[in-house]
Amino acid sequence: MTRAALLPALALLAACGGQTGEQVQAEEAKRAEVVANLKGIERAFDSPETAVAAANQFGFRIDGYRQSGLRWQAAGEPIFVADTQAKAPNRARFVAMGPDQSKIDTMRFTLDVTDPADAARAKTRFAKMIDEVLWQFRAQKPEALGKAIAAEQPFEKTLDGATAAVSVAPIPQGDKTRRITVTFTRPGATGQAS
C-alpha cells in the first residue's frame, strides 16, 4: 500500500477512536443489550437516543443528542398544542441535558401559555403528551402529575426513582402568560437542563 493510500485509512481509523469495524459493532451490540434491559424512566436517562426518539414522535424535530459546551443536550423545536390560529398560540418545548453522550440528567417539558383563552385545552394536551412519553418507557404515570399541570400547582414526587416536578412562572409575553415546566431528574444528576 502506498503512503497516499494509507493516509485516508489511518484518518478513518482515528475518527473511530482507533477501533476496528468489529470493535465498533461489538460495542454497539453491547449498548443495545444494555438499553433493552433498562426499565421505566431509567431507559430515557440511560439511553438518550431512546428519549430523543420518544420526544420526536410529538413533532419536536430534535436533531440528536449533541455536545453543547461542557454538557450534552437535545433541544426540540417548539410545537403548537392548541389553537394554531391564535395571535400567540400556546407552545410546548422539550430539552434534555446530561454529563456525557450516554446519559441524561434532566428532561424538561415546558408549556408556554401565551393564549390564556385556550389554556385549558393546551394543558390537557400537554399532560397527555407527557403521559404518552412516559408510557413509551413503561414508566409510572402519577395521576397527580396531570392534576398539577391542570391546576398549575407546584408538584414534586418520586417516579421510578427519579424526581418529577411541576413549576409555574410568569413569562413577559402579555397579561396572564405563564410557563408550566415539568422536569424529570435522574437520581444523582450532576446538573440541570436550562
Side-chain angles (χ1 to χ4, degrees), residues 34-167:
V34 168
V35 169
N37 291 319
L38 294 172
K39 305 283 186 244
I41 201 161
E42 83 173 337
R43 188 167 187 183
F45 290 131
D46 290 339
S47 176
E49 63 277 10
T50 304
V52 166
N56 273 339
Q57 288 186 9
F58 296 93
F60 285 110
R61 294 184 298 199
I62 303 163
D63 188 25
Y65 188 61
R66 306 198 185 299
Q67 193 160 12
S68 177
L70 298 176
R71 302 196 40 85
W72 286 71
Q73 177 176 303
E77 297 290 323
I79 60 169
F80 297 116
V81 290
D83 183 4
T84 59
Q85 301 302 315
K87 182 178 177 184
N90 299 311
R91 296 174 190 228
R93 289 179 171 78
F94 171 86
V95 65
M97 191 173 280
D100 60 52
Q101 66 187 24
S102 67
K103 193 169 297 198
I104 290 174
D105 277 348
T106 56
M107 289 189 304
R108 182 169 294 150
F109 295 87
T110 58
L111 172 63
D112 286 353
V113 179
T114 51
D115 178 18
D118 204 21
R121 183 166 54 153
K123 291 185 291 186
T124 298
R125 289 182 176 171
F126 181 64
K128 183 174 173 49
M129 176 184 63
I130 293 169
D131 274 354
E132 289 178 10
V133 169
L134 293 174
W135 178 84
Q136 290 182 54
F137 299 115
R138 305 299 188 257
Q140 297 173 2
K141 294 188 296 183
E143 190 176 311
L145 180 65
K147 288 180 179 180
I149 293 168
E152 299 184 34
Q153 295 295 315
F155 170 88
E156 189 168 310
K157 183 175 175 139
T158 300
L159 168 76
D160 288 343
T163 301
V166 175
S167 63

Side-chain angles (χ1 to χ4, degrees), residues 3-39:
R3 202 179 258 190
L6 187 58
L7 221 45
L10 288 174
L12 182 60
L13 190 58
C16 294
Q19 296 177 316
T20 66
E22 289 175 358
Q23 289 171 318
V24 170
Q25 285 179 336
E27 282 187 20
E28 287 176 355
K30 183 180 175 185
R31 176 83 178 136
E33 184 179 332
V34 168
V35 169
N37 291 319
L38 294 172
K39 305 283 186 244

